[in-house]
Amino acid sequence: MIDRLNEKTLMLEKALDAAWLRNEAISNNIANVNTPGYKKSYVKFEELLEDAVDKFQISGIKKDDKFLPIGKDTLASITPVTVQEKFTSMRRDKNNVDIDVEMAELAKNSIKYNALIAQMSKEFSKIKYAINGR
Amino acid sequence: MAFLNSINISASGLTAEKLRMDVISRNIANVNTTRTADGTPYRRQVAVFMEDNRQIPFSEYLNDASKSLIGSGVKVAGIKEDKSPFKSVYDPGHPDADENGYVLMPNVDVMTEMVNMISASRAYEANVTAINSTKNMALKALEIGRG
C-alpha cells in the first residue's frame, strides 16, 4: 500500500526532472550566445507525454525491465530527450541562439517548475492530512 | 553531472564575456598606439569563444542518452590577433611617419569595438538572469513537503 502513495508524485517527479534539465540546456544556450558555430539545444518532454496519452497504439507487456519495449511505453517510462537544432542559423557565424527566445523560455520554465513544486507539496499535504486526521 | 551544473555553465559564460570586455577595453585604449615593444603599431586582438564540451565516455552515451548532449558552457579558445591591414593615415608631422608622410595606425575601429562591447554587456546580463533563475528554482525545490 505504501508504494501506491507514490503514484501521483511519480509523474510530477519526472516533469520536475525534465524542467531542471531544460533549465540546464537554456543556461548552456545563453552562455554560448556569442560562440561561433554553436547550435542551440532544447529538451522535449511534454510533447512526448502528449503522444503517449493521445494515440491508440499497440503495446507489449514486459515481463522484465531488461526487455526492449514493443509499441508505445507506459507513461512511467517516458524520459526527457535533449535535441540539438542543427540546421538553422541566426547569424553569419552559424550561431542560432536567439537571446530573446532563450530568456522567454527561461521564464516559462521557471514558472512551470514552481507550479509543479506547489502541486507536489499539495500531494504530500493531502497524505499527511489523511494520516493525521487534521 | 555535478549538482547545480546550470550555475557552473552560466558562470563560464560570465567569465568568457568578462574576458571579452577586457580585450575590447584593451583595443579601445590602444586605438592610437603607433609604437609597441617590437616597433610595429598595435594590432587589434579578438577573443575566440568555443563551446566547452566535456569528454563523454561511450558508456554514458548509451546509458543516459538524454543528458549527455548538453555541453558545459563556453570557454575562451584563445586571444588571437586580427590580421587585417593597418590603417594608413597621412600625417607628415608625426614622428613615426615614413618618407611619404604616411603613418600606420592600429587596425582598431572604435565603432566596431563599441558594438561588441554592448553585445558582451547584454550577454553578461543574460547569464546573470539565468543564474538567478536557477537559484530561485533550487530554493523553491527545498519547499516541498514543508508545511
Side-chain angles (χ1 to χ4, degrees):
Chain A
M1 186 220 98
I2 284 292
D3 6 305
R4 278 176 46 204
L5 288 176
N6 281 348
E7 267 171 19
K8 281 253 182 89
T9 57
L10 199 66
M11 214 61 263
L12 287 175
E13 210 178 296
K14 279 187 175 295
L16 278 173
D17 280 342
W20 189 261
L21 193 66
R22 184 175 292 127
N23 178 260
E24 208 168 294
I26 294 174
S27 295
N28 198 36
N29 290 343
I30 292 178
N32 278 293
V33 68
N34 282 320
T35 306
Y38 175 78
K39 298 295 178 197
K40 70 173 216 169
S41 47
Y42 59 92
V43 170
K44 279 202 323 190
F45 183 69
E46 279 80 12
E47 299 93 328
L48 298 176
L49 278 184
E50 257 183 64
D51 277 349
V53 167
D54 287 344
K55 297 189 189 152
F56 176 71
Q57 297 261 346
I58 315 169
S59 59
I61 304 172
K62 290 196 286 188
K63 279 277 185 354
D64 194 301
D65 267 333
K66 296 202 189 98
F67 289 150
L68 290 175
I70 305 173
K72 274 279 189 275
D73 278 325
T74 59
L75 280 181
S77 50
I78 297 184
T79 53
V81 170
T82 313
V83 181
Q84 220 188 14
E85 207 173 285
K86 289 207 181 87
F87 300 112
T88 56
S89 273
M90 278 271 307
R91 314 198 303 228
R92 283 178 65 195
D93 62 354
K94 310 261 175 41
N95 177 309
N96 68 349
V97 176
D98 182 350
I99 190 71
D100 307 308
V101 168
E102 295 305 315
M103 296 309 277
E105 289 294 323
L106 192 69
K108 274 177 16 189
N109 192 46
S110 188
I111 292 173
K112 218 180 268 188
Y113 191 86
N114 287 350
L116 288 166
I117 295 273
Q119 187 67 14
M120 202 170 223
S121 291
K122 292 219 171 64
E123 291 297 328
F124 284 127
S125 304
K126 274 193 250 177
I127 295 173
K128 263 196 259 189
Y129 182 72
I131 293 175
N132 287 337
R134 56 180 165 81
Chain B
M1 291 283 234
F3 177 58
L4 289 181
N5 203 42
S6 313
I7 295 195
N8 289 344
I9 292 174
S10 293
S12 77
L14 290 177
T15 312
E17 296 299 340
K18 191 174 278 178
L19 185 70
R20 193 163 164 232
M21 278 298 282
D22 287 344
V23 171
I24 292 171
S25 307
R26 186 154 186 251
N27 288 339
I28 294 180
N30 281 299
V31 70
N32 282 324
T33 306
T34 50
R35 217 186 289 179
T36 59
D38 53 5
T40 56
Y42 174 80
R43 251 194 197 288
R44 176 173 178 255
Q45 292 187 331
V46 178
V48 178
F49 286 177
M50 74 185 238
E51 191 188 356
D52 190 8
N53 275 316
R54 58 195 189 103
Q55 297 295 340
I56 304 171
F58 193 55
S59 59
E60 215 177 292
Y61 245 129
L62 286 181
N63 289 340
D64 209 355
S66 61
K67 293 194 181 167
S68 312
L69 291 181
I70 295 182
S72 309
V74 64
K75 68 173 181 230
V76 177
I79 301 180
K80 300 283 156 64
E81 293 199 331
D82 184 355
K83 295 274 185 257
S84 50
F86 292 122
K87 288 191 269 201
S88 201
V89 176
Y90 184 69
D91 190 4
H94 197 284
D96 286 329
D98 59 9
E99 60 275 4
N100 295 327
Y102 283 96
V103 184
L104 283 179
M105 298 294 273
N107 54 348
V108 174
D109 177 23
V110 182
M111 283 296 111
T112 311
E113 300 303 320
M114 286 302 191
V115 168
N116 288 342
M117 188 170 72
I118 294 176
S119 163
S121 196
R122 288 274 167 266
Y124 192 89
E125 282 174 28
N127 277 306
V128 170
T129 306
I131 288 187
N132 282 336
S133 191
T134 305
K135 191 184 67 170
N136 288 336
M137 272 169 67
L139 286 175
K140 210 61 165 57
L142 293 178
E143 288 175 19
I144 297 180
R146 193 184 290 177

